[in-house]
Amino acid sequence: SAVISQKPSRDICQRGTSLTIQCQVDSQVTMMFWYRQQPGQSLTLIATANQGSEATYESGFVIDKFPISRPNLTFSTLTVSNMSPEDSSIYLCSVPGTSGGPNEQFFGPGTRLTVL
Amino acid sequence: SQQGEEDPQALSIQEGENATMNCSYKTSINNLQWYRQNSGRGLVHLILIRSNEREKHSGRLRVTLDTSKKSSSLLITASRAADTASYFCATAPNSGNTPLVFGKGTRLSVIA
């Protein structure tokens, strides 16, 4: 298993500003995933972050809006840039449980973002 | 992109009753997983069923998978107030460390 922490747990931000969300894992992992959960909705994958390479973004998400850093095997950040009220969501990072084979994912507690 | 569709969207039952949630998906999968989310927080993995399995049990949880119908069901027996949460199915297209595709979720309320 993996223990994941996220900072901040919640924030209220003004339109046009940016927020950086941190994700810390208690073990080294190759892959980390960032998801967005809009109010009352399910999770949508934003990007996959591999250490040592650029993140891979899903359709509808771009690096300029959601830059991601992955400086080492236990840490990643997601920045939500030039925020608008539509960015109000819960942002979650996750990591695979074990390498190889079908396995579950472990999720951080999420960052609840409200944009005014 | 989301591929899972869950029904019902919301379910309210009395404590002690069984709760059944269904999930349908669109593409071929390697495995299907169920997660629970309490009050908009992080997700907790409940159970994983592989594409070559038809049924799996874990405590009060029973999961079925019908790959011909591209559907799965999650049964929670003898529900408790603490089971109140949102439940999501998620599919993995292949084995290994791939991101999951989540369904829309069922919000379960268990009334004491």
Side-chain angles (χ1 to χ4, degrees):
Chain A
S1 66
V3 177
I4 305 171
S5 61
Q6 284 185 236
K7 289 181 181 179
S9 59
R10 60 177 60 224
D11 207 342
I12 300 173
C13 301
Q14 295 298 319
R15 181 195 300 260
T17 62
S18 298
L19 176 72
T20 295
I21 301 167
Q22 300 178 9
C23 179
Q24 179 76 52
V25 188
D26 69 343
S27 57
Q28 294 185 338
V29 293
T30 304
M31 283 186 176
M32 294 177 76
F33 305 114
W34 285 98
Y35 291 87
R36 181 178 73 181
Q37 185 178 25
Q38 294 177 302
Q41 302 297 312
S42 185
L43 281 74
T44 301
L45 181 69
I46 298 172
T48 300
N50 291 327
Q51 196 273 333
S53 63
E54 284 200 5
T56 303
Y57 289 83
E58 297 298 301
S59 175
F61 297 96
V62 295
I63 188 171
D64 289 346
K65 175 68 176 177
F66 298 100
I68 289 172
S69 77
R70 187 78 205 276
N72 57 53
L73 291 173
T74 64
F75 187 79
S76 178
T77 66
L78 168 76
T79 298
V80 186
S81 303
N82 188 25
M83 290 184 285
S84 67
E86 292 71 33
D87 294 320
S88 297
S89 297
I90 298 172
Y91 293 86
L92 301 110
C93 63
S94 75
V95 301
T98 57
S99 60
N103 54 62
E104 71 269 28
Q105 288 189 11
F106 294 94
F107 284 82
T111 295
R112 185 183 294 270
L113 171 62
T114 301
V115 184
L116 303 177
Chain B
S1 60
Q2 290 185 0
Q3 79 160 325
E5 294 281 339
E6 274 135 301
D7 74 271
Q9 291 188 351
L11 178 63
S12 183
I13 60 174
Q14 295 290 325
E15 205 167 30
E17 294 181 339
N18 296 340
T20 299
M21 290 160 270
N22 302 297
C23 166
S24 61
Y25 56 93
K26 298 175 183 175
T27 61
S28 62
I29 63 171
N30 176 275
N31 66 80
L32 184 145
Q33 304 173 34
W34 285 88
Y35 288 80
R36 183 182 73 208
Q37 184 181 37
N38 290 83
S39 302
R41 301 299 289 170
L43 277 72
V44 175
H45 179 264
L46 295 176
I47 194 166
L48 180 153
I49 186 167
R50 293 177 172 77
S51 59
N52 61 354
E53 299 176 313
R54 293 295 168 260
E55 187 171 312
K56 203 162 183 179
H57 297 254
S58 176
R60 293 186 295 114
L61 305 180
R62 172 178 170 256
V63 170
T64 62
L65 179 63
D66 187 334
T67 53
S68 67
K69 295 181 179 178
K70 290 186 167 60
S71 67
S72 173
S73 69
L74 171 68
L75 169 68
I76 304 175
T77 60
S79 63
R80 306 166 181 168
D83 295 327
T84 295
S86 292
Y87 291 83
F88 296 91
C89 70
T91 55
N94 51 58
S95 63
N97 299 331
T98 58
L100 301 174
V101 179
F102 283 84
K104 293 184 178 180
T106 294
R107 186 188 303 270
L108 173 66
S109 297
V110 181
I111 302 167

